[in-house]
Amino acid sequence: MLHLILFSVFAVIAVAGALNLLVQRHPISSALSLIVVMGSLAVEYLLLGAEFVAAIQVIIYAGAIMVLFVFVIMLLNAGVEERTKGSKVALILGFPAMLVGGLLVAWVLLRAPNVGSVNVGAMYGPPKAIGWLLFHDFLLPFEVTSVLVLIAIMGAVVLASPVRSRFSRPQPEPERQALKAAAGTEPAHEETVTARRSS
Amino acid sequence: MIATADYIRILPEIVLTLFGLIVMFVDPLLPESRNVKPLGIIALIGSLGAVAASIYQMRYPGPAFWNFVVVDNFSIFFHLLVTIAAALVIMASFEYLRVQEIRAGEYFGLILFGTVGMALMSSAVELVLIFIALEISSISTYILAGFRRRDAGSVESSLKYFLLGSFATAFFLYGIALMFGATGSTDIPQIASALRLNGAPLLAYVAYALMFVGLGFKIASAPFHVWTPDVYEGAPSPVVAFMSTAPKMAVFAVLLRILFVTESPSLLAGSRPVWFWWVWGSAAVSMTLGNLGALVQNNVKRMLAYSAIAHAGYLLVAFAAAPEAGISAAMFYAASYTAMNLGAFIVVSHFANAGERYVTLDDYTGLGRRSPLLAMTLTIFLISLIGIPATAGFFAKFYVFSAALKANLVWLTIIAVVNSAIGAYYYLRVIVAMYMRDSTQEIPVMRVPAGVTATLLCSVAAVIYLGILPGRVLEFATRSAQSLLR
């Protein structure tokens, strides 16, 4: 019983933290409420008997990743977010709609005689069981994740590297004309980013 | 102990990953002004190697890596589809990359790595692996959409696609979690047997709905289609040719596997699956909104984006139809759609010129005189998209509609036929502009390079082959459908 109460309390804290993350206008406040979400999720994992995942959640997510988030926000010197008309509409329409949708799903699930939850047992908890799952049963997904990480790094390289022209060599005639014509309609190199941000 | 056969069953993925790594290693060794061709050739060899590996796999059907992937006719069909599409796009990209000053190493690398994800999606039978593969394919397409860094539209397209796509992926992941909660497994055959034993609990319905939301976004079916025109308009055209075909068809493969395998007992018993009405509704709305949206477009890229939404709808019609005929019709449609849509976007890509300037309908006036090759091939792709006989599009629609009629879906078939008629109008408008109106402005038509010509000829050959001799491909698709439903 105490288990269930603790679980419900931290579930509510997690959802409240997530909502606070959305409505806060300063990025640092959002990042701090994300830490609340991560922390309460760690407690949930602990209550479900997954002590290893809970520890990892605190060390990696609430620790390392959130520190990185806060650092980046401070380095970027991000100011208070400006709300547009569209986001006000989202605030007025989106949250009530979400609430109604969530309540509807909860109502249907609570009323149904056969919701169909299964008991998984405590087998996912200790590090040994997780290690066995990760490096034996889930070996292929584990290895394939490396490709996922690799393309994420490539994406960062592509999208964050400075835009530069490498056309120092002579061009064939039609292409040069086309490029010249194109230059008129396209914003030049570095301006693009700043122009987008201000618009 | 992992057997050799296990490695053969993921051989295309291994080949693609290896060649992607080779591209990344060779890239810094070459001068940046002259690296497009060598890197492109390496990537082309890699993708063709994956095609060969997929064909080689036919002799080794069966599960691998503790039932995480299965090689069967179905997986081989979609492996061939995505790897051939990747090879065609790589072949057509050489000139575009040079003119647009796009970093070739990352471009080819991302196409190859993305194809790894798409190939895995078609052979994976475990939801966690499917999720990771889906993420690989999605993230590589988000990045590829933003490759024209100097153009604000491309950056916007990439960001929009990324934000909405991540949102959709979250739905899919939530669906997987609930399915695990309902059945105690993430393995598709085990889910099927759990559902057969206990009946489908309510949680499974919610799980199906959430998974359908996530995957419906990726295939651009209504009501999750809103991102499509903006993203397609801003992204580089060869990338659009790629992302409107290969990743989409891989997601269709996932949908076919999840929806049909988990529900196979009730399907084989002849009753309607739990997801029947969602698919029915999504198909009807996609077709109607896609075609109506395309009618008013003046930008050819946007028009083709709306047409892609409509075609996703036609494909979903096959899902609602009788299981065996439906699956094979959907697979045939996937192959035809890939050939004709890829070709059409490659023509648009080449004609749009540096900076993607010439994309409106007015720019296409008089193209028949200025560049007969581009106009001729685009005409073939467009009449195939309409569904005129002797092209792939005709048989694709014919099989889908007859499968729907076989399942007594009269109303859905009527909606689909009416929509095909509406669609004919906007496709024909482009053809009329190309041949019957004189151009009002001076537009330089660039020489069509060998790579683009080869891609266009391959696509035309595929469109006409599927349009005249559909038998062999359909027979292969039917055998795959049987292996899937068994």
Side-chain angles (χ1 to χ4, degrees), chain B residues 73-110:
Chain B
N73 282 334
F74 180 79
S75 82
I76 289 167
F77 185 91
F78 279 99
H79 265 70
L80 289 175
L81 208 58
V82 295
T83 47
I84 290 173
L88 289 178
V89 169
I90 289 169
M91 210 150 68
S93 301
F94 286 44
E95 185 78 3
Y96 188 90
L97 296 185
R98 221 160 48 75
V99 174
Q100 295 269 345
E101 302 178 40
I102 285 174
R103 302 166 68 111
E106 283 84 358
Y107 179 88
F108 290 126
L110 281 171

Side-chain angles (χ1 to χ4, degrees), chain A residues 1-15 39-48:
Chain A
M1 194 58 206
L2 185 66
H3 234 73
L4 190 66
I5 293 171
L6 271 179
F7 190 90
S8 317
V9 167
F10 279 97
V12 170
I13 294 177
V15 174
S40 36
L41 280 183
V43 178
E44 302 285 58
Y45 292 143
L46 203 56
L47 288 172
L48 289 172

Side-chain angles (χ1 to χ4, degrees), chain B residues 429-448:
Chain B
R429 212 161 57 132
V430 179
I431 299 177
V432 167
M434 285 195 299
Y435 284 102
M436 296 180 191
R437 277 165 55 194
D438 282 328
S439 64
T440 47
Q441 45 185 333
E442 196 80 9
I443 292 172
V445 174
M446 291 204 285
R447 182 183 51 81
V448 185

Side-chain angles (χ1 to χ4, degrees), chain A residues 179-192:
Chain A
L179 275 176
K180 217 179 271 170
T185 55
E186 281 182 314
H189 308 188
E190 316 292 342
E191 289 163 27
T192 321

Side-chain angles (χ1 to χ4, degrees), chain B residues 29-360:
Chain B
L29 302 178
L30 296 170
E32 219 178 316
S33 52
R34 237 168 293 142
N35 62 1
V36 174
K37 207 167 200 175
L39 292 177
I41 287 171
I42 296 174
L44 189 61
I45 294 171
S47 52
L48 291 178
V51 174
S54 308
I55 295 171
Y56 177 67
Q57 273 187 325
M58 277 192 217
R59 285 195 273 158
Y60 293 88
F65 286 96
W66 299 280
N67 294 328
F68 272 70
V69 289
V70 163
V71 172
D72 49 15
N73 282 334
F74 180 79
S75 82
I76 289 167
F77 185 91
F78 279 99
H79 265 70
L80 289 175
L81 208 58
V82 295
T83 47
I84 290 173
L88 289 178
V89 169
I90 289 169
M91 210 150 68
S93 301
F94 286 44
E95 185 78 3
Y96 188 90
L97 296 185
R98 221 160 48 75
V99 174
Q100 295 269 345
E101 302 178 40
I102 285 174
R103 302 166 68 111
E106 283 84 358
Y107 179 88
F108 290 126
L110 281 171
I111 287 193
L112 289 179
F113 288 129
T115 314
V116 172
M118 296 157 210
L120 261 182
M121 276 156 80
S122 62
S123 59
V125 290
E126 207 271 351
L127 291 174
V128 173
L129 183 58
I130 287 178
F131 169 72
I132 295 174
L134 178 68
E135 276 302 271
I136 293 176
S137 121
S138 307
I139 292 181
S140 59
T141 35
Y142 304 151
I143 302 166
L144 284 169
F147 252 81
R148 280 166 61 227
R149 294 276 312 286
R150 285 196 272 150
D151 184 66
S154 176
V155 178
E156 180 196 339
S157 145
S158 172
L159 188 65
K160 202 174 241 176
Y161 195 25
F162 170 65
L163 291 177
L164 292 172
S166 323
F167 192 51
T169 312
F171 276 96
F172 182 62
L173 198 57
Y174 200 6
I176 294 177
L178 289 187
M179 193 53 109
F180 180 76
T183 59
S185 175
T186 50
D187 183 71
I188 293 177
Q190 278 181 30
I191 291 173
S193 55
L195 289 178
R196 184 174 48 220
L197 273 176
N198 311 331
L202 196 70
L203 210 53
Y205 283 75
V206 183
Y208 272 126
L210 289 171
M211 287 201 274
F212 189 73
V213 170
L215 296 175
F217 172 89
K218 305 280 178 192
I219 55 171
S221 68
F224 319 110
H225 65 284
V226 188
W227 56 278
T228 320
D230 291 349
V231 170
Y232 283 16
E233 189 186 1
S237 297
V239 171
V240 181
F242 188 57
M243 75 189 200
S244 68
T245 51
K248 231 167 122 171
M249 294 311 129
V251 176
F252 270 116
V254 167
L255 261 181
L256 283 171
R257 218 187 260 281
I258 293 180
L259 295 185
F260 281 92
V261 174
T262 53
E263 281 288 303
S264 57
S266 70
L267 281 167
L268 288 179
S271 61
R272 281 189 172 155
V274 294
W275 40 263
F276 176 81
W277 285 109
W278 306 327
V279 171
W280 195 101
S282 182
V285 179
S286 303
M287 288 186 290
T288 315
L289 285 184
N291 280 316
L292 292 181
L295 282 181
V296 294
Q297 298 304 324
N298 204 28
N299 180 321
V300 177
K301 268 174 101 177
R302 282 185 86 86
M303 187 204 88
L304 284 175
Y306 277 104
S307 119
I309 299 170
H311 281 277
Y314 297 129
L315 241 162
L316 283 177
V317 171
F319 279 67
E324 199 184 308
I327 296 176
S328 57
M331 290 170 72
F332 189 85
Y333 204 105
S336 324
Y337 172 78
T338 303
M340 59 204 186
N341 211 50
L342 200 143
F345 268 115
I346 292 298
V347 174
V348 171
S349 152
H350 182 69
F351 179 68
N353 214 323
E356 306 250 337
R357 303 188 60 226
Y358 306 112
V359 287
T360 64

